[in-house]
Amino acid sequence: MSKKQCKELNLRAAAKFFKKRNNFAILTHSSPDGDTLGAAYALYYGLKEMGKTAEVLCPDIIPSKYSYFAVTTDHIKSDDLTVVAVDVADNKLFGALDAEFGGRVELCIDHHVSNVRYADNLLLDSKASAACEIIYELLKKLKVNINDVTAKALYTGIATDTGCFKYSNVTAKTHLIASELIKYDINAAEINRIMFDTKSKRLLQLERMVLDTAEYHFDDKCILLCVTAAMQEKTGCSGPDLEGIAVISRSVEGVLAGITVKQTGDREFKISLRTFEPLDGAAICGSLGGGGHKAAAGVTLEGTLEEVKAKILAAVGEGMEKANVWSSADK
Amino acid sequence: MSKKQCKELNLRAAAKFFKKRNNFAILTHSSPDGDTLGAAYALYYGLKEMGKTAEVLCPDIIPSKYSYFAVTTDHIKSDDLTVVAVDVADNKLFGALDAEFGGRVELCIDHHVSNVRYADNLLLDSKASAACEIIYELLKKLKVNINDVTAKALYTGIATDTGCFKYSNVTAKTHLIASELIKYDINAAEINRIMFDTKSKRLLQLERMVLDTAEYHFDDKCILLCVTAAMQEKTGCSGPDLEGIAVISRSVEGVLAGITVKQTGDREFKISLRTFEPLDGAAICGSLGGGGHKAAAGVTLEGTLEEVKAKILAAVGEGMEKANVWSSADK
C-alpha cells in the first residue's frame, strides 16, 4: 500500500465525521488487548445510541475474558460503509483483515506516537494513556449517552493500558476519566480482578516450578529463570500463559537484568530479557541476532539449555561491563 | 483501658481541633503500611507548614522502602502535647506504644468501620478508601500548602490501600484525589514500582516455599497457603515481607476465599482472609474473634497448625454455605 495523505483531525472534526456518516465497520488490531477492544466496543455502543449501524471487526478471536462487553456484532451490509480503526498504529496490525480493509480506513483513532498514518484521517492523542481516553472524550463531544456497558469497555481499556493506573502514562486526566467511569454500574474491582489478578491453578503450579530454577549472576544484578518443555507439558501451560513469567524476572530488588529462558523446541529456546537503566536490552539481544525495546527485548537461540544459558549470560555480562555496572575484573 | 465517651467530629471540627493546638505526636499502627505512614507523614508535613511542631511515632521499625517520605522526626519535648492517631482502628494496634499513649489519644482519624472508639474524638469516614483520603481533605479544609513530599505520602497511602486503584474500596473521589496528587512532582510510576513490583530475593524464595503448601478446598473455591516459622527463619523473611503473600491467595481463578496462615508464635497463627463477593471476610473472621473489611479480614488463632487450619476452614465453609456459593450437602 502506498502512503496516502493523512489528515489530522481534532476532537470536534472527528465528532463531525461520525455525525455525517451512518454505517460503520470498526477495526481493532490483531492479538486484541483491553484497549483496542474497549475502544472499539465503546465506539460501537456510542454509535448505536446515535441511531447509526456499526459492527466491530477483530482479526483474531476475542478472548472470552472480555465477554462482559465484547459481544458478537451483526454484520452490516451496506454500499456506504465507513471503515474506522481504533488503537491500531500500523495497518500491518490488521493481520488477516489488512488485505480487505487496510487501504480504506477513513479514520484512525489512536494514542501511539508511532502511528504510521495509513488512514485518510487521524485523531491522535499521544498523551492519552489509552485509546479509550480519546473515545471517552469523543463520546462526550458527541453528547452520546454513556451506558453501563460502554463505561465498562472504556474503563477496561484505560485500566489494562496503564497496568491499573500503575505506569508512567497515567495523567491527571486519566484519573479524572476513571472517576467519571466508576460512577456507572461497572464493578471496577471485578473488572480488575479478571484483568490483573486471575491466574489459573496451572499457572500457579508453573510459577512454583519456575521459581525453583532461579539463578543469580553478576553480583545478583541478574536473575535467570527457566521454563522447560517438561514444565509446560506437566502443567499444561502454553503460549499465552507464559507471558507473565518474564514479569517475575524484573521484579527482584537490585536486579538490572531479568532473563527468562523458555523452551520452544527440542534445541530451541526463546529468551525474554527485561532490563533497567543503564542497561540496554535491545543492544544485548541485538548482539545475538534478536531485538526489541531498551527495557524489554528478546532473541531465539539454538543449542542445549546449558549452551543457551551460557550464550545469553555472556551477552548480558558484556552489556553490564559496557554500562559499568559490573566488572569481570572484580572477580 | 476502660471505654471513654468518644465524640465524632466532622471535617470542619477536626480542622478546628488542629488550629487550636500546637504540639502534636502522630501515632501510626504497628506493622506500619503505606496508608498509616502516608497519613501520618502527610499530616506531619501539613502541621509543619502551619507552623506547628509535630513528630511521628511508629511502634515498629519503618521499612526503608518508604524512605522517600518517611523521615525521622525530631522528638518533641512539651507539656502540652496533643496525641493523635491515624488509620488506627484499635488501641491494641499501638503495640509497644499502647501503654504510654493508648489512653490519651485526643483525636483518631480513621476509615475503618470497625474503629473501637478508643480516642476522645474521632474523624471517621468509612467510605474513604484510605486514611490518606481523609488527610487530603483535612489539609484542603485547613488550606495548608501541599508540597511534593506530602503529595507522595498521600498518593502512597491511597495506592497501597487500594492495590493501586484495583479494589472495590475505590470511589469516584479516590480517583479525583489521585488526579490532583499526580499533578505534583511525585513520580507515581516509581512509587508504584517500589510498592507493587519490587520483591527481595528472600521473598521470592519464600514465595516458592509458600506455593508448595497450596491446598484447595470447597470445590476449589478456596485456597489455603501456609507460612511457617521455619520458612521465615530459613529465608530471613519477617513481618513486613509477608504482607504480599496474602495477595497470591486471592489471585487464583475461581477462588472466592484466599486464606494465608502465618505462624507468629509456637502455637499462634495469624490468618489473613481475602474474599470475593458474595463472601464477607469480616463476618467470617468475626465469628472467630477477628475482624476487618469485607474483602480483607484477619484473625489470630491459637493451636497447632492443623487445628488452626481446621478452624478457619470450618468458618470459611460456613460462610460459603450462608452465601450459597457452596454446600456441604453436595458432598
Side-chain angles (χ1 to χ4, degrees):
Chain A
M1 193 187 68
S2 68
K3 277 255 163 83
K4 295 176 296 186
Q5 198 69 21
C6 173
K7 190 178 167 198
E8 282 219 27
L9 304 187
N10 61 20
L11 209 56
R12 180 193 297 260
K16 214 164 148 188
F17 176 97
F18 284 101
K19 277 183 192 158
K20 279 166 67 181
R21 290 162 175 80
N22 289 306
N23 308 296
F24 298 88
I26 308 166
L27 298 184
T28 74
H29 63 68
S30 53
S31 301
D33 59 13
D35 192 31
T36 198
L37 291 172
Y41 278 92
L43 183 57
Y44 166 79
Y45 293 119
L47 292 171
K48 300 279 272 190
E49 288 271 348
M50 292 169 73
K52 316 279 187 183
T53 75
E55 68 179 314
V56 173
L57 293 172
C58 178
D60 295 318
I61 289 170
I62 298 176
S64 63
K65 65 177 174 177
Y66 299 108
S67 62
Y68 58 92
F69 68 83
V71 298
T72 304
T73 59
D74 288 335
H75 179 57
I76 294 177
K77 287 184 197 89
S78 166
D79 296 334
D80 183 33
L81 190 69
T82 301
V83 179
V84 299
V86 288
D87 196 43
V88 188
D90 190 319
N91 55 290
K92 283 180 200 154
L93 299 172
F94 291 128
L97 297 177
D98 190 25
E100 187 178 351
F101 295 103
R104 51 179 291 216
V105 179
E106 289 187 48
L107 172 62
C108 171
I109 302 175
D110 194 16
H111 69 123
H112 294 94
V113 71
S114 59
N115 190 291
V116 302
R117 289 164 163 72
Y118 58 86
D120 299 343
N121 297 285
L122 176 63
L123 172 60
L124 180 79
D125 179 359
S126 62
K127 289 205 179 72
S129 69
C132 279
E133 272 195 30
I134 311 171
I135 300 290
Y136 173 82
E137 295 198 298
L138 178 67
L139 295 180
K140 282 281 170 191
K141 180 66 85 184
L142 285 164
K143 296 192 168 51
V144 165
N145 174 48
I146 292 178
N147 59 31
D148 292 340
V149 69
T150 310
K152 282 182 192 189
L154 291 170
Y155 181 89
T156 300
I158 293 173
T160 52
D161 255 27
T162 60
C164 209
F165 308 95
K166 209 194 276 178
Y167 302 149
S168 57
N169 58 352
V170 173
T171 66
K173 199 202 268 181
T174 313
H175 277 296
L176 267 184
I177 295 174
S179 82
E180 289 301 320
L181 293 175
I182 66 168
K183 288 177 189 166
Y184 293 86
D185 185 17
I186 66 170
N187 199 347
E190 180 62 13
I191 292 175
N192 294 328
R193 178 192 177 200
I194 296 168
M195 294 300 141
F196 304 107
D197 287 336
T198 305
K199 269 178 199 178
S200 59
K201 276 176 71 174
R202 61 175 191 272
L203 184 57
L204 206 69
Q205 197 193 356
L206 180 75
E207 284 189 4
R208 186 182 64 69
M209 291 177 178
V210 170
L211 289 180
D212 275 336
T213 72
E215 289 175 19
Y216 292 88
H217 297 275
F218 311 119
D219 301 334
D220 293 356
K221 289 189 174 73
C222 170
I223 186 173
L224 187 147
L225 301 171
C226 291
V227 190
T228 64
M231 290 176 195
Q232 296 173 53
E233 203 172 313
K234 184 161 180 196
T235 60
C237 285
S238 60
D241 292 319
L242 307 176
E243 277 168 27
I245 296 289
V247 174
I248 300 173
S249 76
R250 75 184 295 283
S251 70
V252 187
E253 205 173 357
V255 159
L256 295 175
I259 304 169
T260 308
V261 178
K262 198 166 68 192
Q263 189 163 16
T264 47
D266 198 23
R267 286 172 53 82
E268 188 190 82
F269 295 86
K270 210 182 144 192
I271 314 282
S272 296
L273 179 64
R274 298 288 179 271
T275 56
F276 287 108
E277 298 274 358
L279 291 185
D280 183 345
I284 292 169
C285 287
S287 75
L288 297 170
H293 302 283
K294 201 172 175 192
V299 59
T300 298
L301 297 175
E302 297 203 346
T304 65
L305 177 58
E306 289 312 313
E307 285 165 4
V308 162
K309 274 162 64 170
K311 263 186 223 171
I312 181 68
L313 282 170
V316 166
E318 208 173 293
M320 288 206 177
E321 297 226 48
K322 264 189 203 155
N324 286 315
V325 293
W326 175 84
S327 167
S328 58
D330 296 342
K331 294 289 98 183
Chain B
M1 193 186 69
S2 66
K3 279 254 163 86
K4 294 177 298 189
Q5 198 69 20
C6 172
K7 192 179 165 195
E8 283 219 27
L9 303 187
N10 61 20
L11 209 56
R12 179 193 296 261
K16 213 165 151 187
F17 175 97
F18 284 102
K19 278 184 190 155
K20 279 165 68 180
R21 292 160 175 82
N22 289 307
N23 308 295
F24 297 89
I26 307 166
L27 298 185
T28 74
H29 63 68
S30 54
S31 304
D33 59 14
D35 191 32
T36 198
L37 291 171
Y41 278 93
L43 183 57
Y44 165 80
Y45 293 120
L47 292 171
K48 301 279 273 188
E49 289 272 348
M50 292 169 74
K52 315 279 186 183
T53 74
E55 68 179 314
V56 174
L57 293 173
C58 178
D60 294 319
I61 290 169
I62 297 176
S64 62
K65 66 177 175 179
Y66 298 108
S67 62
Y68 57 92
F69 70 82
V71 299
T72 305
T73 59
D74 289 335
H75 179 58
I76 295 175
K77 288 185 195 86
S78 165
D79 297 333
D80 184 33
L81 189 69
T82 301
V83 180
V84 299
V86 288
D87 195 42
V88 188
D90 191 319
N91 55 291
K92 283 180 202 155
L93 298 171
F94 291 129
L97 297 176
D98 189 25
E100 188 178 350
F101 294 103
R104 51 180 288 217
V105 179
E106 289 186 49
L107 173 63
C108 171
I109 301 174
D110 194 16
H111 68 122
H112 295 93
V113 71
S114 58
N115 190 290
V116 301
R117 290 164 162 73
Y118 58 86
D120 299 344
N121 297 284
L122 176 64
L123 172 60
L124 180 79
D125 179 0
S126 62
K127 289 206 179 72
S129 69
C132 279
E133 271 195 31
I134 312 171
I135 300 291
Y136 173 83
E137 296 200 297
L138 177 67
L139 296 180
K140 283 282 169 189
K141 180 66 84 180
L142 285 165
K143 295 190 168 53
V144 165
N145 174 46
I146 291 177
N147 59 31
D148 291 342
V149 70
T150 309
K152 281 181 192 189
L154 291 171
Y155 181 89
T156 301
I158 293 172
T160 52
D161 255 27
T162 59
C164 209
F165 307 95
K166 210 192 276 176
Y167 302 149
S168 58
N169 57 353
V170 172
T171 65
K173 198 201 270 179
T174 313
H175 277 297
L176 268 183
I177 295 174
S179 82
E180 290 301 319
L181 293 175
I182 66 169
K183 289 177 188 165
Y184 294 86
D185 185 17
I186 65 171
N187 199 347
E190 179 63 13
I191 291 176
N192 293 329
R193 184 170 92 84
I194 295 168
M195 293 300 141
F196 303 107
D197 289 336
T198 306
K199 284 181 184 170
S200 62
K201 271 178 72 175
R202 61 176 190 274
L203 184 57
L204 206 67
Q205 198 193 354
L206 180 75
E207 284 190 4
R208 186 182 63 68
M209 291 178 179
V210 170
L211 289 181
D212 276 337
T213 71
E215 288 175 18
Y216 293 87
H217 296 274
F218 310 118
D219 300 335
D220 293 358
K221 290 190 174 72
C222 170
I223 185 173
L224 187 147
L225 301 171
C226 291
V227 190
T228 64
M231 291 176 194
Q232 297 174 53
E233 203 173 311
K234 186 162 179 195
T235 59
C237 285
S238 59
D241 293 318
L242 308 178
E243 277 171 30
I245 297 288
V247 174
I248 301 172
S249 75
R250 74 188 292 287
S251 69
V252 186
E253 206 172 355
V255 159
L256 295 176
I259 304 169
T260 309
V261 178
K262 198 166 70 188
Q263 190 163 14
T264 47
D266 198 23
R267 286 174 53 81
E268 188 190 80
F269 296 85
K270 210 181 145 194
I271 314 283
S272 295
L273 179 63
R274 299 289 180 270
T275 56
F276 289 106
E277 297 273 359
L279 290 186
D280 182 347
I284 292 169
C285 287
S287 75
L288 297 170
H293 302 282
K294 199 172 175 190
V299 59
T300 298
L301 296 176
E302 300 204 342
T304 66
L305 177 57
E306 290 311 314
E307 284 164 5
V308 162
K309 276 162 61 170
K311 263 186 225 172
I312 182 67
L313 282 170
V316 166
E318 208 173 294
M320 288 203 177
E321 297 226 47
K322 264 188 203 155
N324 286 317
V325 293
W326 176 83
S327 166
S328 59
D330 296 344
K331 295 287 97 181

